[in-house]
Amino acid sequence: MTEKTFSPFARPLYVMLKPVGSTCNLRCNYCYYLEKRDLYPHDKEFAMSDELLERFIEQYLNSQTMPEVLFTWHGGEPLIKDIAFFRKALHLQKKYGQGRRIENTIQTNGTLLNDEWCSFFKDNNFLVGISIDGSQSLHDTYRKTRDGKPSFNQVMNGISLLKKHKVEFNVMGVVNNKNVDYPLEFYHFFKQIEAHYIQFTPIVETIDGALTPWSIPAEKWGNFLITIFKEWVKQDVGRYFIQYFDATLANWVGAQPGVCSLAKTCGHAGVMEFNGDVYSCDHYVFPNYKLGNIYSNTLVEMMYSEKQLKFGADKHETLPTQCLQCEYFFACNGECPKNRIASTPTGEPNLNYLCRGYHKFFSYVAPYMDFMKTELMAQRSPANVMQLKLSQHPNN
Ligand code: SF4
Ligand code: SF4
């Protein structure tokens, strides 16, 4: 998810929008969202109507308690919707905004970007999140067009246009069984394309109880994070912002992390589909997690319903003892519940499949995080960590 965090201590009502549902021009092998089409077997057109757009924007803005409001446009591929739809959205944001500051972020695969889109994003201060899995061969492993062709060149063309129009962008890479073995190639590529805000998300996916080939082994996830962290902490702190590292530091100092998977609870970010159905989370768009429809319930009713509060609290309530007793629980919080498919050595269920990787990562970064925390507490820059000599690290 593309995120702009306004305040680490306040959590306004937040619902991301799917203006074309799961419709996408690409066919990435690992996509978790394409199958959502099956939830709506009787719909031919997956397109949010202008009427629904207005209903959402009016309600969403009226339910906000903060002076700044964030809209997130997501897919599928949201640029399949025409630009007039987004112009209308901006008009409605002004109409119902009552002078509040409104920010827009959009997550796209980048292949449909053109001059018109980029100049629209620049003029209206959108933050654009681009999904890209690293350099050409890494990216093209799984991110394919409908007819199975590679998509890298189209994405890079989109990034060039964003740069040409000086649009603010960040990158989101999916870490899979291929690129997990090339952490530095992955990181250097993003530095080379001048992406200063970098997010990545690990794939853990099962089909009929078996892990998919593109899922990553836990240990490799830990090694991937550590290898990138080693370079980042030596020379890139304050220049490149890596969401996982920032979120880890946030947990170290007791602030709200910018990654939901490392937060204490879930349930703060709902999703509204093209037809007004609202779900608990982008990764839980399943019938059991449907909170209602905006034509019959308000967003406030749905997002603060008992069902959603339970969904949020379950992240903590369903943890195995191993997590509750873990020295890094404050940093990990058992990670995302969707990844809790393993058991502890004593046979307790709900252990996170990536546990070993996370434990290894947190234990490697602990001295650095302690140092950065001390600097922050003393109102000095955490970037001073770059002067900490690696030889002082107990793991070296
Ligand atoms: S279920 Fe996972 S993706 Fe959804 S809010 Fe919780 S941590 Fe985030
Ligand atoms: S590192 Fe493992 S045991 Fe510790 S909180 Fe995370 S998932 Fe649980």
Side-chain angles (χ1 to χ4, degrees):
M1 176 198 320
T2 304
E3 283 196 43
K4 273 190 176 177
T5 309
F6 297 118
S7 159
F9 304 109
R11 285 198 133 146
L13 182 143
Y14 175 71
V15 179
M16 68 162 76
L17 288 165
K18 306 268 185 180
V20 292
S22 60
T23 311
C24 189
N25 59 324
L26 295 188
R27 287 292 176 273
C28 306
N29 300 68
Y30 53 59
C31 182
Y32 65 95
Y33 216 81
L34 285 170
E35 67 188 38
K36 304 303 172 194
R37 197 175 189 90
D38 300 342
L39 291 172
Y40 303 103
H42 304 301
D43 285 273
K44 288 204 176 62
E45 216 189 321
F46 292 71
M48 188 173 287
S49 67
D50 286 359
E51 193 225 333
L52 173 54
L53 179 71
E54 179 152 8
R55 179 178 285 256
F56 175 84
I57 289 178
E58 182 178 10
Q59 265 197 37
Y60 191 59
L61 284 167
N62 286 342
S63 62
Q64 300 293 332
T65 52
M66 307 294 285
E68 294 158 327
V69 183
L70 176 65
F71 282 76
T72 300
W73 308 91
H74 214 267
E77 174 46 53
L79 300 194
I80 285 176
K81 202 82 176 126
D82 62 26
I83 209 164
F85 175 85
F86 289 93
R87 288 193 202 285
K88 171 120 194 172
L90 293 180
H91 166 74
L92 293 168
Q93 288 173 349
K94 254 202 199 109
K95 179 173 168 188
Y96 294 110
Q98 296 171 345
R100 277 170 294 191
R101 184 169 160 207
I102 294 175
E103 298 270 3
N104 284 279
T105 71
I106 190 161
Q107 186 66 36
T108 170
N109 62 39
T111 59
L112 300 175
L113 286 166
N114 55 25
D115 280 310
E116 191 187 5
W117 275 116
C118 291
S119 106
F120 170 77
F121 290 145
K122 178 64 188 170
D123 291 347
N124 296 292
N125 197 31
F126 271 59
L127 170 64
V128 178
I130 297 285
S131 303
I132 180 165
D133 287 357
S135 56
Q136 186 155 18
S137 65
L138 299 178
H139 176 91
D140 283 337
T141 309
Y142 293 121
R143 297 194 68 85
K144 305 262 174 63
T145 62
R146 281 183 191 205
D147 49 0
K149 300 221 171 74
S151 64
F152 180 82
N153 289 337
Q154 292 172 56
V155 181
M156 287 307 292
N157 182 49
I159 290 176
S160 301
L161 289 167
L162 289 171
K163 286 186 187 170
K164 177 178 146 193
H165 288 269
K166 300 192 171 23
V167 178
E168 199 188 340
F169 74 98
N170 61 26
V171 289
M172 153 72 91
V174 169
V175 183
N176 54 60
N177 68 317
K178 175 87 187 289
N179 58 12
V180 75
D181 288 327
Y182 301 91
L184 286 183
E185 184 175 335
F186 181 86
Y187 183 38
H188 292 164
F189 170 75
F190 290 135
K191 291 198 326 191
Q192 191 195 321
I193 63 169
E194 298 163 54
H196 285 268
Y197 293 86
I198 302 168
Q199 306 178 26
F200 33 75
T201 187
I203 289 204
V204 178
E205 190 190 69
T206 55
I207 295 179
D208 298 330
L211 274 174
T212 55
W214 41 82
S215 295
I216 55 173
E219 192 93 17
K220 285 193 177 186
W221 173 233
N223 295 341
F224 178 89
L225 291 172
I226 289 169
T227 307
I228 294 178
F229 184 86
K230 278 183 179 172
E231 176 161 319
W232 178 79
V233 82
K234 234 194 299 181
Q235 59 190 54
D236 292 337
V237 184
R239 288 172 60 226
Y240 291 93
F241 297 89
I242 299 183
Q243 200 187 29
Y244 261 105
F245 303 164
D246 288 351
T248 301
L249 181 58
N251 274 342
W252 230 266
V253 301
Q256 185 64 44
V259 183
C260 63
S261 57
L262 300 186
K264 285 188 175 57
T265 54
C266 295
H268 305 285
V271 171
M272 191 178 88
E273 265 285 356
F274 70 99
N275 65 350
D277 285 350
V278 174
Y279 293 88
S280 292
C281 160
D282 191 34
H283 288 277
Y284 280 84
V285 176
F286 298 108
N288 285 349
Y289 293 90
K290 184 172 148 184
L291 301 171
N293 185 290
I294 198 171
Y295 284 107
S296 16
N297 311 91
T298 66
L299 290 172
V300 171
E301 279 167 358
M302 291 185 274
M303 289 303 292
Y304 295 105
S305 62
E306 258 179 53
K307 186 172 180 174
Q308 182 68 347
L309 295 177
K310 181 174 179 331
F311 172 77
D314 274 354
K315 176 170 189 181
H316 182 85
E317 300 302 319
T318 59
L319 283 164
T321 319
Q322 182 175 324
C323 287
L324 299 173
Q325 295 176 345
C326 172
E327 60 197 310
Y328 299 118
F329 179 59
F330 72 95
C332 176
N333 285 302
E335 213 248 13
C336 178
K338 79 179 164 54
N339 295 337
R340 294 184 189 166
I341 53 173
S343 300
T344 67
T346 57
E348 262 189 281
N350 281 340
L351 181 67
N352 198 296
Y353 165 83
L354 295 170
C355 172
R356 279 223 312 252
Y358 275 114
H359 196 278
K360 193 171 177 182
F361 169 66
F362 292 130
S363 95
Y364 183 84
V365 302
Y368 297 98
M369 291 294 160
D370 288 343
F371 182 89
M372 284 192 274
K373 178 179 175 178
T374 308
E375 294 301 277
L376 278 170
M377 295 299 155
Q379 300 192 324
R380 292 189 295 262
S381 168
N384 292 338
V385 73
M386 290 187 289
Q387 290 153 22
L388 195 66
K389 294 279 174 296
L390 278 179
S391 57
Q392 294 170 10
H393 194 289
N395 294 330
N396 281 324

